[in-house]
């Protein structure tokens, strides 16, 4: 290949790669801006989320990787209210979504099931209602799922039994009903009682592998695997 041709190809590759980063950055920025637009932020925690900045990873409370993709969103105890948005499902490289201890209401978007790199999803201590989406069963890398202290209803999705990576699952202090699944990954919880702190309180039954069990009521259900 002649030097001039090689140089042209090299420059073209740089242009294509730069364009890819811009498109990726804009897509993630659009998703985060959609979230910001749907939230009330009395303390201006999201003030740095400026739509005119191409790279959302320069925003506070957002962490990026070496490829400038958003991997973490931390908005803990930020006094935020409003609702989550389906556009969050566009953050496909996200590993940590930490939104606990706010006043976020509405339903959990089913699009969160698109976040297949997610390791931790913490939406606890909010005002979320509706059911737990079946799509969360697609999060095959999920280790920590905390949805406690909300107003969630319905049953525990059977799809969660397919998430064999789960180490911590907290669904306590909601309005869930029905039976707790015992198959799939949930069978690992029950068979590992000697290696875990297991606390199970559901309707009229109560048992655990510690010396003290929590009071029996329909609002308490936790699994902790260590």
């Amino acid at each position: 290949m002649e030097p001039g041709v090689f140089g042209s190809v090299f420059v073209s590759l740089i242009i294509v790669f730069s364009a890819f980063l811009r498109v990726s950055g804009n897509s993630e920025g659009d998703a985060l801006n959609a979230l910001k637009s749907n939230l009330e932020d009395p303390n201006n925690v999201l003030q740095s989320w400026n739509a005119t900045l191409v790279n959302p990873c320069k925003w506070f409370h957002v962490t990026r990787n070496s490829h400038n993709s958003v991997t973490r969103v931390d908005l803990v105890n930020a006094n935020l209210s409003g609702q989550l948005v389906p556009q969050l499902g566009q953050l496909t490289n996200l590993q940590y979504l930490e939104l606990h201890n706010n006043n976020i209401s509405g339903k959990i978007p089913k699009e969160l099931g698109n976040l297949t790199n997610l390791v931790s999803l913490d939406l606890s201590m909010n005002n979320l209602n509706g059911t737990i989406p079946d799509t969360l069963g697609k999060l095959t890398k999920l280790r920590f799922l905390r949805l406690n202290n909300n107003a969630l209803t319905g049953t525990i999705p059977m799809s969660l039994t397919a998430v064999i990576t789960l180490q911590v699952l907290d669904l306590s202090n909601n309005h869930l009903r029905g039976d707790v699944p015992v198959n799939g990954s949930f069978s690992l919880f029950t068979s590992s009682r000697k290696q875990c702190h297991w606390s199970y309180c559901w309707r009229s039954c109560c048992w655990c592998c510690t010396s003290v069990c929590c009071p029996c009521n329909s609002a308490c259900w936790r699994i902790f695997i260590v």
Side-chain angles (χ1 to χ4, degrees):
M1 182 180 293
E2 296 182 3
V5 175
F6 177 80
S8 300
V9 172
F10 182 72
V11 171
S12 298
L13 288 174
I14 292 177
I15 293 173
V16 169
F17 183 69
S18 299
F20 170 78
L21 289 180
R22 286 197 300 271
V23 170
S24 176
N26 286 335
S27 175
E28 293 181 334
D30 290 344
L32 292 175
N33 266 308
L35 176 63
K36 177 183 178 181
S37 299
N38 225 39
L39 295 176
E40 296 292 331
D41 179 22
N43 297 336
N44 291 320
V45 174
L46 305 177
Q47 187 174 15
S48 66
W49 291 24
N50 188 339
T52 62
L53 296 179
V54 173
N55 190 352
C57 301
K58 295 181 180 178
W59 302 348
F60 293 150
H61 312 290
V62 174
T63 303
R64 63 183 178 89
N65 62 16
S66 58
H67 301 292
N68 286 326
S69 294
V70 175
T71 58
R72 186 170 188 132
V73 176
D74 284 291
L75 293 170
V76 176
N77 195 25
N79 198 26
L80 299 172
S81 59
Q83 298 186 357
L84 302 178
V85 293
Q87 288 92 330
L88 286 173
Q90 299 174 16
L91 304 174
T92 53
N93 291 295
L94 195 66
Q95 297 177 354
Y96 296 86
L97 181 57
E98 310 291 330
L99 302 176
H100 63 273
N101 200 20
N102 283 289
N103 299 302
I104 300 171
S105 57
K107 300 182 184 302
I108 300 174
K110 67 180 188 300
E111 288 80 5
L112 294 188
N114 296 332
L115 306 179
T116 53
N117 286 301
L118 208 61
V119 173
S120 175
L121 175 60
D122 193 341
L123 305 178
S124 62
M125 302 182 71
N126 280 287
N127 296 308
L128 295 167
N129 55 49
T131 59
I132 301 173
D134 288 336
T135 54
L136 297 188
K138 296 162 56 179
L139 305 180
T140 56
K141 296 181 181 179
L142 195 65
R143 295 170 56 194
F144 308 100
L145 177 58
R146 296 180 175 94
L147 303 178
N148 54 287
N149 294 82
N150 281 287
L152 298 172
T153 57
T155 60
I156 300 172
M158 288 297 296
S159 61
L160 287 180
T161 64
V163 186
I164 61 175
T165 52
L166 270 180
Q167 295 179 356
V168 173
L169 170 62
D170 194 342
L171 307 177
S172 61
N173 296 310
N174 281 290
H175 306 297
L176 300 174
R177 57 179 175 78
D179 296 327
V180 178
V182 295
N183 60 321
S185 60
F186 282 63
S187 66
L188 299 176
F189 297 152
T190 57
S191 64
S192 304
R193 289 174 64 187
K194 292 184 179 180
Q195 303 174 13
C196 71
H197 166 76
W198 169 275
S199 177
Y200 170 87
C201 297
W202 193 260
R203 296 185 296 185
S204 61
C205 57
C206 183
W207 58 273
C208 56
C209 68
T210 57
S211 58
V212 179
C213 194
C214 57
C216 297
N217 59 73
S218 61
C220 179
W221 191 77
R222 290 185 179 91
I223 296 173
F224 293 96
I225 301 294
V226 295

